[in-house]
Amino acid sequence: MGGARKKRLTGWRILVIAQSFSIAAMTVRGADAPLALMCEYRTDPIGLETPAPRLSWQTSDGQAAWRVRVASTPEKIAAGEADLWDSGKVSGGDTFGVEYAGKKPMPSQRVYWQVKTWTS
């Protein structure tokens, strides 16, 4: 392949977050989807009052890039619509403590997020 590297999409992992950010796993796509998703270092946080909660995940292979999307409904996140935040594709191996940088959800609002990773 002449030295060119192909980047492989490893899949989406979706979690539910209820404002003030509680979290529960929903679905996984792809064998290499991100694992162990956490919000504020917990797998099932409820009622967090952190304005910018930190999101973390693990990957089975070396991660070359990631993208986080956050939406207000499961239908929107399933359709790939991020009405609260879309980080865009970010190069690098960050998987720990990525700060939420989107719109502030309403009190007690459920929030849904997904992370997509790419490997080299």
Side-chain angles (χ1 to χ4, degrees), residues 6-85:
K6 286 188 176 180
K7 296 212 181 222
R8 183 175 54 135
L9 172 66
T10 60
W12 286 100
R13 172 82 166 148
I14 303 173
L15 262 68
V16 180
I17 309 172
Q19 174 66 0
S20 306
F21 293 93
S22 68
I23 198 165
M26 284 181 62
T27 187
V28 177
R29 292 185 189 164
D32 295 327
L35 308 168
L37 274 71
M38 295 185 294
C39 178
E40 280 303 302
Y41 315 110
R42 297 182 219 159
T43 55
D44 295 312
I46 296 174
L48 296 175
E49 295 181 10
T50 306
R54 291 161 288 201
L55 308 173
S56 302
W57 59 91
Q58 296 176 359
T59 58
S60 59
D61 292 326
Q63 177 180 296
W66 56 271
R67 181 181 185 182
V68 171
R69 292 195 285 202
V70 183
S72 58
T73 68
E75 294 81 16
K76 287 181 180 179
I77 202 71
E81 183 182 336
D83 61 332
L84 297 176
W85 183 47

